[in-house]
Amino acid sequence: MLPLLLLLLLLPRGAPGPSTDTDNLLVLTVATEETDGFRRFQRSLQCFNYKVKVLGLGEEWRGDGQKVQLLKAALEQYADNEDLIILFTESYDTVIASGTAELLKKFRQAKSKVVFSAEAVAYPERRFEAKYPSVREGKRFLGSSAFIGYASHLHKLTADWSGADDDSDQLFYTKIFLDPVKREKINITLDHRCRIFQNLHGSVGDVVLKFENGRVRARNVEYDTLPVVISGNGPTKLLMNYLGNYIPRVWTFETGCVVCEEGLRSLAGMKTDDAFPLVVIGIFIEQPTPFVSEFFKRLRNLQYPKSRIQLYIANHEPHHQRHVEGFLQEHSSEYNAVKVLGADLASNFADARNTAMDTCRQNPDCEYYFSIDVQVVLNNASVLRTLIEQNKSIIAPMVSRIQDLWSNFWGALNTDGYYARSEDYIDIVHRRRIGIWNVPYISNVYLVKGSVLRNKLNQYDVFRGGNLDPDMAFCYNVRQQGIFMFVTNLQPFGHILYLENYQTSHYNNDLWQISQNIQDWKEKYIHPNHTAALRGKAIESPCPDVYWFPIFTATACDELVEEMEHYGQWSSGSKSDQRLQGGYENVPTIDIHMTQINFQKEWQKFLLDFVAPITEKMYPGYYTQAQFDLAFVVRYKPDEQPLLEPHHDASTFTINIALNGVGQDYEGGGCRFLRYNCSVTAPRKGWALMHPGRLTHYHEGLRTTKGTRYIAVSFVDP
C-alpha cells in the first residue's frame, strides 16, 4: 500500500492576505516516509513560502481510518479555538496552486464553517447517492481527500470517530454530511464548483493547464474556476503527475524549468576514481541491430571511471556474438567486473533484465543500475554523470528517432495502459520545452537508484506483469509502488536507431543502413574532413580538372573490401562479361559490381548525398542525379591484373576511391592522365579522385608491383 501523507494547515482567522505572510501559517505534515509525491507537495508549498513542520508517524500506514484518528488527536489542543482555520489534505498526490490570501478569501465566501471537496462519483457506497442534496450546478458528492474549516468545528466533526484504522474515512464523513442535523450543527458544505478544491477523479476532462505570469494553474473549464488545492484522488495519479510537472512554478514559459537545479548530487568533488558511486550497467541485445561496434566504442568513451562500472551484457543474437567478443577481448579487463549472458545461453527477455537488475540489488555497494538497449545511441559522453547528479529515484535521458516522434518515454497512457499522447509530448521531444518531466513510461535507457531496488522494488521479478512486455511490466510495477519516473531533456543525449528492415545476410550489414540510419552511417563511414570539402576546402587538384578529396573513413574502406572478398565472385578480367548488356567489356578489370551484392541503391544514395554536392561545386553549372550503369570494386595484383591499359570511361564523370593504402597494403599503382602527362601515384586511403570520363581525360591504371590494391569505381551519368 502506498504511504499516506497528511497535512494540517493552520491559518488564524483574519490573517493578512498576502501568501508571503508566513508568520500566520503553519503546515503540520504527518508522514510514514518521504516519497517522490511528498517532495512534490513540499515544493508546491515552498513556492508560496509556507512553513512546514513534519511530524514523524513512527509506524507503518494501516488504512484510511487512521487519517481520522490522527486528525482527531491533532485537533484536541485546538478544540476550543474558534478563530483558527485548518486545511486538511492528503499530500502524496496533491499540489497547492496558490497562496493563503486566495485560499482564505474563497473559504470565507463559502459562508460555512467546514467546506469539503466535491467530486463526481459517490464513493465508497453508491447506495447513498440518492440521499445527497440536489445542486443546481457542480459536483454533488463529498470527497474526503481535502477539506477546510475552523478548528472547533473540525473537532466536532471527528469527535465521534471510534472506527478501526482500516475503516473508510470517506464513509465516516459522508454519513455525517448526509445526516441533516449533524450537517447543520457543524455547518458543512461542499465546494461544488471546485473554487477551492479540484478532485480529479471523475473530472479528468474538466481540467486544463493555465499559464499566467510566471505561474501555472489548473483551470476547471466546466465551471471556469481556478482551484487552490489539486488532488489526484482515485485512479488519476498519472494526470496528477502531469499537472505536477508545471503547477505551481515547476516549469513556466517565462522561466523554463524552475526546479531542475534542486536536490542535485554533485560529482565534481570526487578526487579519486574510488570515490565515484559503483554502477552496474545492464546492456541488452534483443534483436539484430546496426552499429553495435559503435555502441561499444561509445560505452568505452563514457566519462566515468571504468573501475567503478560493472557490466552485465545479455546478448540474444548470435549474429552479434563477434561484436561482443571483440569488445570483451580488448577491454573487459578495464572494468570492475563483467558478466555475459551469451546468445547460446540467453533466457527470455524478462529473465535477462530481472537478473541484470538483481546484480545491483544484491550488491550493497551498488549505488546505481543503468539499463541501456544496444539500439540507443548516446552521443553525450557525460550522460551517466548527468543522470546521477539529478538524484532521482528513476530517470531516463530523452532520446528519440531522428526526424521522428518515436522516443523512449510516453507522456500519457490510455485506459488500457498503452500509449497516449500528452499535450506537451511533441514540445518535449523537440526540446521546445526543456526540463525534467514526471512520466508514466520509460524504456531503452534509464538509471535506477540501488536503494530503490533494495527498498520498494525489492521483488526480483519486476519485468513481468500479465500480458505486458518487459518494459511495460517494469513501468507498471514502478507506478504501483508510487515511484516517480522522470525523463530529462536538459541536454541533447542521443537518439534511437531504426531497426526495421535491418538485414543480416551480408558480411558487414551496417553498409546497407545509409537510408534507415543516415546519421550513424555518416559518422561511421564518411571521412571527418568531408564537411570541409563541401565548403571547398580539403579539395586538391593534382591534374587539370581532376579533383581529389576525402570521402571514406578507413572503416568504410575496410568493410567494403571485406564485403567483396566475402562475396568472392571476382570477374575473370576477360572481355567477355555476361554481367553487361551485350556481354562484352572493352576495357575489362577483375572486379565485383555493386549490383552483384545488391548494393546499387545504397551506392547511388551515397553518390547523391556525398559526392554530387562536390561535383556541382567543382564543375559549376553541372547538376547530377548520380545515375550509373557501372559501379564496382576493382582488385589489382602483380600476378593477377597489375594494371589497366589507356582508356576513356563510359561516363560524364568518374569517381575512383582508394580502398587501401599504398606503402602498407601494396606498392606501385596510381592513375596517369595521358593528355596532361600527369599522374597521381600515391592515392590516399579513403580519398576520391574525380575526373571527366569522356573525351579529355584519357587515362591508365599504373602497375601494382606488390601486394593487393583495391579501388571503388563509379561511371556516373553514362
Side-chain angles (χ1 to χ4, degrees):
M1 180 177 290
L2 294 177
L4 220 302
L5 304 162
L6 311 181
L7 164 77
L8 296 177
L9 175 60
L10 310 183
L11 301 165
R13 186 163 65 177
S19 60
T20 55
D21 190 1
T22 56
D23 291 337
N24 297 307
L25 174 64
L26 174 64
V27 178
L28 301 179
T29 301
V30 182
T32 57
E33 59 181 312
E34 187 170 325
T35 65
D36 290 331
F38 180 53
R39 283 186 284 270
R40 176 180 63 195
F41 173 74
Q42 285 183 305
R43 183 187 299 120
S44 72
L45 292 174
Q46 292 166 2
C47 287
F48 298 103
N49 299 315
Y50 287 82
K51 285 185 177 179
V52 180
K53 183 177 181 182
V54 179
L55 305 177
L57 184 61
E59 55 183 302
E60 292 185 2
W61 186 251
R62 298 184 298 276
D64 286 342
Q66 192 178 7
K67 289 187 290 185
V68 189
Q69 181 59 44
L70 288 168
L71 179 59
K72 179 180 178 180
L75 290 171
E76 288 296 332
Q77 59 182 308
Y78 308 116
D80 299 324
N81 194 330
E82 297 183 355
D83 295 323
L84 187 66
I85 297 174
I86 295 178
L87 171 70
F88 176 88
T89 180
E90 299 173 8
S91 56
Y92 169 75
D93 51 8
T94 299
V95 293
I96 307 297
S98 188
T100 57
E102 181 177 341
L103 177 68
L104 288 172
K105 178 181 178 180
K106 290 180 174 179
F107 170 62
R108 289 172 180 139
Q109 288 174 341
K111 302 185 184 307
S112 294
K113 300 299 184 181
V114 176
V115 179
F116 271 84
S117 63
E119 54 189 44
V121 180
Y123 178 85
E125 295 186 17
R126 296 292 297 271
R127 63 188 176 92
F128 289 122
E129 185 173 325
K131 296 183 178 181
Y132 272 89
S134 59
V135 295
R136 244 186 304 181
E137 181 185 31
K139 308 300 181 185
R140 185 178 166 204
F141 307 109
L142 178 143
S144 64
S145 60
F147 49 90
I148 187 171
Y150 292 104
S152 56
H153 288 72
L154 291 181
H155 180 263
K156 296 175 185 176
L157 178 72
T158 59
D160 294 336
W161 171 260
S162 59
D165 286 341
D166 59 354
D167 284 349
S168 170
D169 61 326
Q170 185 146 328
L171 182 60
F172 171 71
Y173 295 130
T174 296
K175 289 180 177 179
I176 293 176
F177 178 74
L178 294 180
D179 184 324
V181 175
K182 291 182 179 179
R183 182 170 70 242
E184 182 177 352
K185 178 181 178 181
I186 302 175
N187 194 358
I188 305 173
T189 191
L190 306 186
D191 183 26
H192 298 293
R193 297 180 63 249
C194 305
R195 299 181 71 249
I196 302 174
F197 306 108
Q198 177 65 64
N199 289 335
L200 297 177
H201 184 39
S203 304
V204 169
D206 296 350
V207 179
V208 298
L209 289 173
K210 175 180 173 59
F211 295 87
E212 55 173 26
N213 302 321
R215 187 170 71 173
V216 187
R217 302 291 297 267
R219 176 172 173 254
N220 187 304
V221 295
E222 179 73 15
Y223 310 119
D224 194 22
T225 55
L226 296 173
V228 177
V229 181
I230 319 300
S231 297
N233 60 321
T236 62
K237 303 296 187 288
L238 300 186
L239 177 59
M240 184 70 249
N241 292 345
Y242 166 72
L243 297 176
N245 284 328
Y246 297 94
I247 300 172
R249 291 175 181 162
V250 181
W251 190 96
T252 73
F253 286 106
E254 293 84 356
T255 63
C257 183
V258 177
V259 302
C260 289
E261 300 300 318
E262 292 181 2
L264 300 181
R265 174 182 183 177
S266 176
L267 298 181
M270 304 296 181
K271 296 181 179 180
T272 64
D273 288 355
D274 290 343
F276 281 80
L278 181 67
V279 181
V280 170
I281 299 182
I283 299 166
F284 301 94
I285 309 173
E286 296 182 343
Q287 63 190 101
T289 305
F291 307 109
V292 171
S293 295
E294 281 56 46
F295 172 89
F296 284 113
K297 289 178 184 177
R298 290 188 295 271
L299 179 67
R300 298 201 312 269
N301 291 333
L302 282 178
Q303 294 175 2
Y304 202 85
K306 293 181 176 60
S307 62
R308 303 301 292 161
I309 294 176
Q310 295 183 356
L311 298 179
Y312 179 97
I313 304 174
N315 175 29
H316 297 261
E317 278 297 325
H319 167 72
H320 292 305
Q321 193 64 28
R322 63 182 173 120
H323 300 122
V324 175
E325 290 176 353
F327 165 73
L328 294 176
Q329 185 174 359
E330 293 187 29
H331 303 286
S332 62
S333 61
E334 301 170 11
Y335 293 89
N336 182 284
V338 177
K339 183 177 181 180
V340 180
L341 185 67
D344 55 336
L345 299 175
S347 56
N348 64 48
F349 297 162
D351 286 340
R353 292 179 183 271
N354 278 323
T355 303
M357 185 171 280
D358 204 48
T359 302
C360 177
R361 183 186 290 112
Q362 298 301 324
N363 181 357
D365 294 328
C366 176
E367 291 193 52
Y368 294 94
Y369 172 71
F370 186 50
S371 177
I372 180 169
D373 297 348
V374 76
Q375 63 265 33
V376 174
V377 177
L378 291 178
N379 295 321
N380 188 327
S382 64
V383 57
L384 184 54
R385 294 176 64 123
T386 298
L387 296 180
I388 290 173
E389 288 181 332
Q390 286 300 324
N391 200 25
K392 301 295 185 185
S393 298
I394 302 177
I395 187 169
M398 196 277 290
V399 289
S400 63
R401 289 178 174 176
I402 295 174
Q403 297 182 338
D404 198 345
L405 292 175
W406 180 286
S407 76
N408 67 322
F409 79 97
W410 297 348
L413 303 180
N414 63 21
T415 54
D416 296 324
Y418 289 87
Y419 173 82
R421 181 167 293 179
S422 62
E423 173 272 336
D424 56 1
Y425 178 81
I426 294 176
D427 282 345
I428 293 174
V429 171
H430 288 164
R431 299 190 71 240
R432 292 194 290 263
R433 298 186 190 183
I434 296 176
I436 298 175
W437 313 95
N438 185 350
V439 296
Y441 173 89
I442 56 176
S443 63
N444 298 123
V445 54
Y446 48 84
L447 184 78
V448 186
K449 281 187 176 181
S451 58
V452 172
L453 296 180
R454 289 183 282 273
N455 184 10
K456 290 192 174 184
L457 291 179
N458 58 8
Q459 69 273 31
Y460 170 82
D461 199 358
V462 296
F463 286 94
R464 280 196 178 87
N467 296 322
L468 300 176
D469 65 44
D471 287 328
M472 291 187 65
F474 170 71
C475 293
Y476 173 82
N477 289 324
V478 167
R479 295 194 305 268
Q480 289 299 105
Q481 292 299 320
I483 303 168
F484 288 175
M485 293 173 283
F486 295 90
V487 64
T488 172
N489 64 350
L490 288 173
Q491 302 175 26
F493 292 105
H495 58 273
I496 303 173
L497 294 171
Y498 288 85
L499 303 186
E500 292 80 359
N501 304 317
Y502 183 61
Q503 302 295 321
T504 59
S505 56
H506 312 287
Y507 188 76
N508 289 305
N509 300 285
D510 293 353
L511 285 167
W512 275 258
Q513 287 293 297
I514 187 171
S515 294
Q516 286 82 2
N517 293 290
I518 179 65
Q519 180 170 313
D520 300 271
W521 194 95
K522 179 180 177 180
E523 289 177 2
K524 182 174 182 178
Y525 294 127
I526 296 300
H527 197 289
N529 290 337
H530 179 261
T531 303
L534 290 174
R535 299 195 303 266
K537 302 179 182 298
I539 298 179
E540 301 178 16
S541 182
C543 301
D545 280 333
V546 176
Y547 299 102
W548 204 13
F549 55 91
I551 189 73
F552 270 163
T553 61
T555 299
C557 296
D558 295 343
E559 290 195 6
L560 190 54
V561 170
E562 289 172 355
E563 196 66 39
M564 294 304 182
E565 289 291 1
H566 179 72
Y567 181 75
Q569 298 181 31
W570 295 93
S571 64
S572 64
S574 68
K575 291 183 180 293
S576 176
D577 193 338
Q578 297 305 313
R579 298 172 300 174
L580 304 178
Q581 187 175 3
Y584 180 81
E585 171 59 74
N586 186 45
V587 187
T589 54
I590 293 179
D591 56 48
I592 296 175
H593 291 182
M594 298 300 180
T595 54
Q596 291 178 261
I597 62 170
N598 295 318
F599 197 56
Q600 63 273 20
K601 291 182 180 178
E602 291 75 14
W603 191 255
Q604 185 184 12
K605 181 168 177 58
F606 156 68
L607 293 175
L608 192 61
D609 288 0
F610 299 103
V611 174
I614 295 178
T615 303
E616 294 165 7
K617 181 179 289 293
M618 305 318 295
Y619 300 126
Y622 181 75
Y623 301 96
T624 177
Q625 290 300 310
Q627 300 294 329
F628 62 85
D629 290 333
L630 282 177
F632 48 92
V633 171
V634 180
R635 183 173 73 183
Y636 291 112
K637 287 184 178 182
D639 58 351
E640 190 176 66
Q641 181 183 11
L643 53 81
L644 190 60
E645 62 188 56
H647 63 282
H648 281 298
D649 292 338
S651 66
T652 301
F653 69 93
T654 295
I655 296 295
N656 181 327
I657 304 173
L659 297 181
N660 58 349
V662 63
Q664 298 175 333
D665 304 306
Y666 65 92
E667 293 180 7
C671 182
R672 176 173 175 258
F673 296 93
L674 279 69
R675 179 171 182 168
Y676 307 103
N677 193 25
C678 179
S679 300
V680 180
T681 57
R684 301 165 192 161
K685 182 177 181 179
W687 280 56
L689 203 65
M690 181 173 67
H691 61 83
R694 292 186 179 90
L695 192 60
T696 58
H697 283 65
Y698 193 60
H699 61 285
E700 63 181 333
L702 300 176
R703 182 179 294 274
T704 298
T705 58
K706 184 178 180 180
T708 304
R709 179 189 178 205
Y710 297 93
I711 59 173
V713 180
S714 302
F715 295 164
V716 186
D717 295 343

